[in-house]
Amino acid sequence: MSRRDQQKYLDYLKRCEKKLTPKESDEYKMFVKRHKDDEDFDSVSMRRLKELYDKYYTAPDKSKLDDLFRKKED
């Protein structure tokens, strides 16, 4: 995985930081420190980061966008 993916996952998890369990929060803080030190994550760390991201990621509801583009009927 690239550094770009690391940044994407860490940025999203920052928004979800309050939802993390204490153990996950500690792991997240460790990932942030390693990222600041410009270290590339090994495969195990990257897999764990992706698992955290997948656990807390919620896809945006695109059905609400359809209402914006419909013509209003009187």
Side-chain angles (χ1 to χ4, degrees):
M1 293 276 177
S2 67
R3 184 158 176 78
R4 181 184 234 174
D5 293 333
Q6 283 180 212
Q7 185 66 44
K8 180 180 91 170
Y9 296 150
L10 291 172
D11 286 344
Y12 186 81
L13 286 173
K14 184 174 186 170
R15 290 183 254 159
C16 301
E17 196 169 2
K18 293 181 181 179
K19 298 178 189 176
L20 299 174
T21 64
K23 181 183 176 200
E24 292 171 342
S25 181
D26 291 340
E27 287 179 336
Y28 168 74
K29 289 175 186 175
M30 180 199 62
F31 290 141
V32 170
K33 285 179 185 178
R34 288 180 62 191
H35 185 71
K36 284 182 181 178
D37 292 339
D38 290 332
E39 288 185 38
D40 289 334
F41 291 0
D42 57 351
S43 59
V44 175
S45 297
M46 196 62 195
R47 186 177 64 236
R48 180 63 184 142
L49 180 62
K50 179 140 176 52
E51 287 172 3
L52 282 175
Y53 174 79
D54 291 339
K55 180 178 178 181
Y56 290 101
Y57 178 74
T58 55
D61 185 16
K62 294 183 181 180
S63 65
K64 295 179 182 177
L65 296 176
D66 291 338
D67 296 336
L68 295 173
F69 297 104
R70 287 191 184 142
K71 292 184 180 181
K72 294 183 180 180
E73 297 179 16
D74 293 329

